[in-house]
Amino acid sequence: MTQAVVEPPFLADRRATAAAALDALELPNFRGVPGWEFTPIEGLELDSFEPAAAGDEDSAAPLLEIAAEGAIRASSDDPGAGAPVVMPLALAAECYPEVVEKHLGSIVADPESPFIARNEALWSDGLLVYVPKGVEVSEPIIVNTVHELAGSALHWRLLVVLEEGAKAEIWHQTLSADAEAEGLVNGVVELVVGAAANLRFVDAQALSESSWVFGSQRAVIERDASLDWITLGFGSANGKIFLETKLAGPGADARVTGAYATRGRQHVDYDTLQEHAAADTTSDLAFRGILGGRSHAVWRGMIQVDEGAQRTDAFQESRNLLVSRKAHADAIPGLEILANDVRCTHAAAIAQVDPEQLFYLRSHGLDEADAHRLVVEGFLHALVERFEEGPVRDAIAAAIDARLQLTLAA
């Protein structure tokens, strides 16, 4: 997706500012910085990974099988007025400077993050998805980001802007061309959901289990808009993903669903935030994970209700099933409430496979292995029930089934 274009001054200035800040930004000190207590990154040498461009999006096996017929993919051609734009970000900065300059870096902006600064200074691959006011995109938009060169760092960005009343469904996958290659992938996702707009965003990560992954992903949802965000984390060796939603206008709604299945010595870390910044907003977040081998998962979730955000209705849960005695999970829910008319609830659970469930299934004729498999499948497939019947549900169910086979076999 990389385009040989001359960057406009605003983009070049942003890169220069971020590059100048890099020397002063240190990596978070493991166990010394809030939010990083459970993710060991002291062995990470960021500068040892030379930046490289992404590979061809067809060079890696996809995690999600998506019907390609009618799907929309990135193009360097301007689709014209009133049509959705799916264009490489560097080119879009020239063709649609009013959209890119206004929104790029306005949703994800943390001057203290060395990962965001590196992304800002070094990103080589990125995409703009822009849906004008009132446009409803009937076919899915498909984006694949592929880490190709072993030992390299891939810095990529995705900027999604839906104007008022727009509707779209986007499928994004982060993949490795070589399932064994080491590397580092550092992504930034910014989602702008305008008033009364509707966005479904499916984000799946299936990187090499020898790679680092870091991500800063954030959505801003305006008045009466809705976001259905689905995230799958099956690959990588270590890293941390920040996943945040801001319900910025009255009537905004966010539904976030996450699933991961780890094995070996994999370590995954999700840090989620549901910020209710306006009255009469709702959010519903559910994460579930299956952990095998010596793997480790961390989920830290915060529901933040800002002052004046009355009649907030927010829920979050994290449930983990350990299929190995040496696997480990940490689930840390939190509430920060500055309004007095709210409904906020959370739940967290970490457990081994229930022996009573196994006994019940075995008493009905199943052997131990099949009974164990059915319990595990049922646990993670409870998330699939959150989706209506159709391509999304089918693709996610198939991806979960394939990953569970690997996790249980390890």
Side-chain angles (χ1 to χ4, degrees):
M1 293 184 186
T2 304
Q3 294 286 326
V5 297
V6 178
E7 292 186 340
F10 79 85
L11 201 53
D13 290 345
R14 290 173 61 92
R15 286 192 186 275
T17 300
L22 285 179
D23 290 340
L25 295 174
E26 298 181 354
L27 287 178
N29 183 21
F30 178 46
R31 301 186 190 278
V33 176
W36 291 89
E37 298 93 335
F38 301 94
T39 297
I41 61 170
E42 64 270 17
L44 174 62
E45 294 289 341
L46 273 178
D47 293 334
S48 68
F49 296 94
E50 287 292 328
D56 185 274
E57 65 176 49
D58 294 323
S59 63
L63 173 62
L64 298 174
E65 294 294 339
I66 309 164
E69 184 178 354
I72 300 171
R73 295 182 180 271
S75 172
S76 298
D77 297 328
D78 190 334
V85 175
V86 185
M87 182 178 288
L89 188 55
L91 182 61
E94 281 196 324
C95 299
Y96 293 89
E98 70 285 357
V99 176
V100 176
E101 185 172 9
K102 178 180 179 180
H103 295 292
L104 187 68
S106 67
I107 309 302
V108 172
D110 182 356
E112 302 300 319
S113 169
F115 300 104
I116 294 175
R118 272 177 169 74
N119 184 286
E120 185 106 24
L122 301 171
W123 66 265
S124 57
D125 291 79
L127 197 74
L128 169 69
V129 177
Y130 168 54
V131 185
K133 181 178 178 179
V135 173
E136 295 191 7
V137 185
S138 59
E139 301 296 339
I141 297 168
I142 298 176
V143 184
N144 290 339
T145 301
V146 179
H147 180 265
E148 184 175 50
L149 184 61
S152 70
L154 171 60
H155 301 278
W156 63 274
R157 297 188 78 105
L158 176 61
L159 174 61
V160 177
V161 179
L162 269 63
E163 291 189 336
E164 181 179 354
K167 182 177 181 180
E169 182 175 293
I170 300 170
W171 298 58
H172 176 252
Q173 302 186 71
T174 311
L175 309 165
S176 290
D178 182 347
E180 306 295 330
E182 295 183 4
L184 182 144
V185 176
N186 178 27
V188 170
V189 174
E190 296 179 290
L191 308 177
V192 181
V193 188
N198 183 303
L199 172 64
R200 168 175 273 170
F201 181 59
V202 183
D203 188 45
Q205 184 266 109
L207 291 167
S208 158
E209 293 178 23
S210 299
S211 61
W212 294 86
V213 62
F214 296 95
S216 298
Q217 306 181 358
R218 191 164 188 261
V220 173
I221 309 160
E222 299 296 345
R223 176 186 293 270
D224 297 325
S226 63
L227 170 65
D228 183 9
W229 192 341
I230 303 161
T231 185
L232 305 179
F234 293 163
S236 78
N238 198 351
K240 185 176 178 72
I241 304 294
F242 291 90
L243 195 156
E244 304 178 354
T245 55
K246 179 178 181 179
L247 297 111
D253 174 73
R255 184 178 177 89
V256 182
T257 306
Y260 47 85
T262 58
R263 61 180 184 167
R265 293 182 177 272
Q266 282 184 280
H267 176 98
V268 298
D269 185 341
Y270 285 94
D271 199 314
T272 69
L273 171 68
Q274 298 150 263
E275 180 187 356
H276 290 257
D280 301 299
T281 53
T282 57
S283 68
D284 177 358
L285 180 145
F287 268 64
R288 288 200 176 202
I290 299 288
L291 289 85
R294 295 174 176 265
S295 63
H296 182 204
V298 181
W299 171 81
R300 179 193 300 268
M302 176 64 70
I303 294 174
Q304 177 182 320
V305 181
D306 296 345
E307 188 173 354
Q310 304 293 2
R311 297 172 300 283
T312 283
D313 188 346
F315 173 74
Q316 63 176 2
E317 72 166 358
S318 170
R319 300 188 184 277
N320 295 274
L321 186 63
L322 311 181
V323 297
S324 163
R325 294 190 178 277
K326 295 184 178 180
H328 180 74
D330 293 287
I332 311 158
L335 301 174
E336 183 179 309
I337 301 173
L338 300 179
N340 59 13
D341 182 9
V342 303
R343 181 178 182 271
C344 297
T345 54
H346 59 70
I350 301 167
Q352 302 276 349
V353 174
D354 188 344
E356 291 188 4
Q357 291 181 325
L358 292 178
F359 176 79
Y360 174 82
L361 292 171
R362 295 197 67 188
S363 70
H364 285 70
L366 294 178
D367 62 28
E368 184 173 357
D370 286 340
H372 187 272
R373 176 180 54 79
L374 283 177
V375 171
V376 173
E377 288 179 354
F379 173 82
L380 210 50
H381 274 274
L383 285 179
V384 178
E385 299 300 320
R386 289 167 62 89
F387 318 126
E388 73 276 10
E389 292 186 1
V392 170
R393 182 169 176 170
D394 293 344
I396 292 173
I400 287 174
D401 285 341
R403 181 60 186 180
L404 284 181
Q405 290 182 22
L406 294 175
T407 301
L408 295 176

